[in-house]
Amino acid sequence: MIRNNEQTLVFPYDVHKFDPPAPTLEISLSSPVPESSESVRSLALLDSGADMTVIPQKIVQQLQLKRVSDIIAGGFDGSRKYYSVYSVKITIDNFGDFIIRTLSESEDYVTIGRDILNKWLLFLKGPNNIFEIS
């Protein structure tokens, strides 16, 4: 991370895990229950095409997150299925904490959707393999 000024942070794209390279951050996840102290670090892909943030099922199990509801959701391929919805606290360094409703999938990384991205100004500079958040 490079600090451009007090309000804009610059991060490199992940050029190793994603092809083509993609904007990612390291984040922490924990249960939103105040007495819970366990947290998990995870890679998070920033995906402006995702309505909601999606976390790995293994993190749901590790943090023993509680199911709060169910929804029908569709993927980019147009398929629709039932998902359990969980409440989770996501901490993104320099941007604070977000308690959100999330779905889970079998991926090994978090997908940050527009439920969080719409709180920021996000500027993707693909040719330079960097992105800015303010």
Side-chain angles (χ1 to χ4, degrees):
M1 172 190 62
I2 302 165
R3 206 173 272 283
N4 229 4
N5 59 42
E6 285 304 311
Q7 298 176 0
T8 302
L9 299 175
V10 179
F11 299 90
Y13 273 30
D14 188 323
V15 297
H16 302 289
K17 186 168 178 82
F18 295 95
D19 184 22
T24 63
L25 293 171
E26 283 288 323
I27 66 169
S28 294
L29 300 99
S30 59
S31 171
V33 178
E35 59 272 5
S36 174
S37 62
E38 183 178 9
S39 69
V40 175
R41 297 286 292 172
S42 178
L43 177 69
L45 171 68
L46 307 184
D47 185 351
S48 64
D51 294 342
M52 293 179 70
T53 295
V54 179
I55 66 174
Q57 182 61 39
K58 67 181 181 184
I59 292 177
V60 169
Q61 294 166 345
Q62 184 174 353
L63 296 175
Q64 299 178 351
L65 298 178
K66 303 295 183 226
R67 190 179 118 260
V68 295
S69 66
D70 296 299
I71 64 170
I72 298 174
F76 68 91
D77 63 355
S79 64
R80 300 178 65 75
K81 66 180 190 177
Y82 282 94
Y83 288 90
S84 293
V85 178
Y86 303 91
S87 182
V88 68
K89 179 179 173 183
I90 293 180
T91 302
I92 302 173
D93 297 338
N94 302 302
F95 293 100
D97 298 335
F98 302 89
I99 296 177
I100 61 164
R101 293 166 38 107
T102 184
L103 309 179
S104 70
E105 273 288 351
S106 60
E107 296 290 347
D108 62 347
Y109 56 87
V110 173
T111 300
I112 300 289
R114 291 190 311 275
D115 53 342
I116 293 177
L117 294 179
N118 284 346
K119 299 178 186 324
W120 306 330
L121 293 175
L122 177 63
F123 186 35
L124 303 178
K125 296 183 174 184
N128 298 344
N129 284 335
I130 61 171
F131 63 100
E132 297 177 358
I133 299 176
S134 55

